[in-house]
C-alpha cells in the first residue's frame, strides 16, 4: 500500500510542477496572474507530504530568494558627507577652514553666552566651560575644557555637532574654528590674537590629556573574572542587623497633603 501511495504522490508532484494548460512543445504558454505564488504554495505542500520529492518540484519552480528585495536606494555622496562629521583625537575629519579668537568672541556672545555666560562661567545651571584648573582632586571638581577635557578635537566635534542649543549643525566650519579658538583663549591656552585652523589644530594640547588612557580592564581586572560564577550560597547566611523603623528614616504620622512642587 505504501508504494502505491508514494507513486501517487510523485505523480501529483509532477503535475504540480507543470501548470495545467501548458502549451505544447515549441509554443509559449500565456502568463496567468498568481501562477508563481500558487506553485510556491503547492511546492510547500509537497515538501510537507514527502521531503524526498522536494528537489524534483524545486527544480521546476523559480526561487523566490533569487529576486532582489530592492528596498530604498544607494546613498548619495552628499548624503554620506552630511553624516560623516566626526572628528578624531588626531584631527582626522577636521574640515578646511580657520577662525580667530576675536571672531569667536563675537559668535559666542551672540549665540552661546545666554547659556554659558559671557566668560564661560555658566549661566544658571548650564555647563561651565572655563576655569576649574587644579580642582579635579577636590571635593567639588570643576570639569571644564581647560581642566578636564582630553582633546581639542572633542570641543570641535561637540560644538559643530550639537551647538548652539536648539539650532545644532548651523555653524559653518570657519565659525566652529573661531568658537573653539575663543574657548581655548578663555582657558588661557592660546593668546588673544590666535587663529585656529586645520593645519595648526594638532598642535593644541589640553592640560589634562596625559591623565587619559586606554581602557585596560581586559588585562588589569582579568584575575577577578571567573568562568563559572557562583549561583548558590555565595554570600553565606544573611543576618538583619537594623531596620528602617529603628534607624528613624521612616516618617511617622500622616502623609503630607497638597502640591509638593
Amino acid at each position: 500500500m505504501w508504494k502505491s501511495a508514494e507513486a501517487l504522490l510523485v505523480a501529483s508532484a509532477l503535475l504540480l510542477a507543470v501548470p495545467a494548460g501548458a502549451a505544447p512543445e515549441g509554443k509559449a504558454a500565456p502568463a496567468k496572474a498568481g501562477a508563481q505564488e500558487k506553485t510556491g504554495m503547492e511546492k510547500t505542500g509537497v515538501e510537507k507530504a514527502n521531503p524526498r520529492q522536494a528537489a524534483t518540484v524545486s527544480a521546476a519552480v523559480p526561487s523566490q530568494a533569487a529576486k532582489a528585495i530592492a528596498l530604498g536606494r544607494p546613498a548619495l555622496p552628499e548624503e554620506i558627507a552630511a553624516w560623516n562629521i566626526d572628528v578624531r583625537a588626531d584631527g582626522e575629519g577636521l574640515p578646511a577652514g580657520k577662525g580667530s579668537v576675536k571672531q569667536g568672541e563675537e559668535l559666542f556672545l551672540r549665540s552661546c553666552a545666554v547659556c554659558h555666560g559671557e566668560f564661560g562661567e555658566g549661566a544658571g545651571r548650564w555647563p561651565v566651560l572655563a576655569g576649574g584648573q587644579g580642582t579635579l582632586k577636590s571635593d567639588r571638581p570643576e570639569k571644564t575644557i581647560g581642566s578636564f577635557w582630553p582633546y581639542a578635537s572633542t570641543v570641535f566635534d561637540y560644538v559643530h555637532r550639537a551647538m548652539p542649543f536648539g539650532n545644532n549643525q548651523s555653524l559653518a566650519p570657519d565659525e566652529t574654528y573661531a568658537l573653539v579658538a575663543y574657548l581655548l583663549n578663555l582657558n588661557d591656552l592660546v593668546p588673544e590674537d590666535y587663529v585656529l585652523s586645520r593645519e595648526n589644530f594638532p598642535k593644541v594640547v589640553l592640560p589634562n590629556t596625559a591623565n587619559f588612557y586606554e581602557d585596560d580592564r581586559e588585562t588589569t581586572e582579568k584575575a577577578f573574572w571567573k568562568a563559572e560564577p557562583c549561583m548558590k550560597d555565595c554570600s553565606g547566611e544573611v543576618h538583619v542587623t537594623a531596620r528602617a523603623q529603628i534607624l528613624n528614616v521612616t516618617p511617622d504620622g500622616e502623609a503630607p497633603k497638597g502640591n509638593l512642587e
Side-chain angles (χ1 to χ4, degrees), residues 38-49:
K38 182 177 180 182
T39 306
M41 294 188 334
E42 291 170 347
K43 186 185 81 168
T44 304
V46 173
E47 289 176 343
K48 290 182 178 179

Side-chain angles (χ1 to χ4, degrees), residues 18-42:
V18 181
E25 185 176 356
K27 295 184 179 181
K32 292 184 179 181
Q36 187 174 3
E37 290 78 6
K38 182 177 180 182
T39 306
M41 294 188 334
E42 291 170 347

Side-chain angles (χ1 to χ4, degrees), residues 141-175:
E142 198 73 71
K143 297 181 179 181
T144 71
I145 295 172
S147 68
F148 177 75
W149 289 35
Y151 307 109
S153 60
T154 309
V155 186
F156 189 100
D157 186 281
Y158 188 78
V159 171
H160 187 211
R161 183 186 305 276
M163 293 290 114
F165 182 72
N167 194 23
N168 58 304
Q169 297 190 30
S170 63
L171 296 170
D174 287 349
E175 293 175 319

Side-chain angles (χ1 to χ4, degrees), residues 254-260:
E254 298 182 359
K257 299 180 181 180
N259 188 353
L260 297 180

Side-chain angles (χ1 to χ4, degrees), residues 27-244:
K27 295 184 179 181
K32 292 184 179 181
Q36 187 174 3
E37 290 78 6
K38 182 177 180 182
T39 306
M41 294 188 334
E42 291 170 347
K43 186 185 81 168
T44 304
V46 173
E47 289 176 343
K48 290 182 178 179
N50 192 337
R52 290 183 293 179
Q53 305 304 326
T56 303
V57 181
S58 299
V61 179
S63 174
Q64 297 291 336
K67 290 187 175 182
I69 298 178
L71 293 177
R73 58 167 176 78
L76 300 175
E78 53 268 28
E79 292 173 331
I80 297 176
W83 282 99
N84 187 23
I85 61 174
D86 62 293
V87 180
R88 298 190 329 197
D90 59 359
E92 181 70 25
L94 283 169
K98 62 180 180 179
S100 67
V101 173
K102 182 63 177 177
Q103 294 168 331
E105 180 180 14
E106 297 174 359
L107 287 168
F108 189 87
L109 293 176
R110 183 169 67 246
S111 303
C112 312
V114 63
C115 294
H116 298 290
E118 295 184 4
F119 302 99
E121 73 278 10
R125 302 182 68 178
W126 293 99
V128 179
L129 302 179
Q133 286 83 353
T135 67
L136 296 184
K137 294 183 179 181
S138 64
D139 293 337
R140 304 190 66 177
E142 198 73 71
K143 297 181 179 181
T144 71
I145 295 172
S147 68
F148 177 75
W149 289 35
Y151 307 109
S153 60
T154 309
V155 186
F156 189 100
D157 186 281
Y158 188 78
V159 171
H160 187 211
R161 183 186 305 276
M163 293 290 114
F165 182 72
N167 194 23
N168 58 304
Q169 297 190 30
S170 63
L171 296 170
D174 287 349
E175 293 175 319
T176 308
Y177 277 110
L179 281 171
V180 175
Y182 179 65
L183 293 173
L184 293 175
N185 175 257
L186 284 180
N187 286 275
D188 299 322
L189 300 175
V190 297
E192 293 184 357
D193 59 350
Y194 190 78
V195 178
L196 184 65
S197 66
R198 182 170 62 179
E199 288 69 31
N200 62 8
F201 202 98
K203 298 179 182 179
V204 178
V205 180
L206 300 189
N208 200 39
T209 300
N211 292 323
F212 282 81
Y213 54 88
E214 294 185 4
D215 188 348
D216 61 352
R217 285 175 293 179
E218 185 176 356
T219 56
T220 57
E221 298 183 8
K222 195 170 184 178
F224 300 98
W225 300 348
K226 296 181 180 179
E228 296 294 335
C230 179
M231 303 299 294
K232 184 179 179 181
D233 300 329
C234 301
S235 60
E237 187 177 357
V238 177
H239 299 277
V240 178
T241 59
R243 300 179 183 275

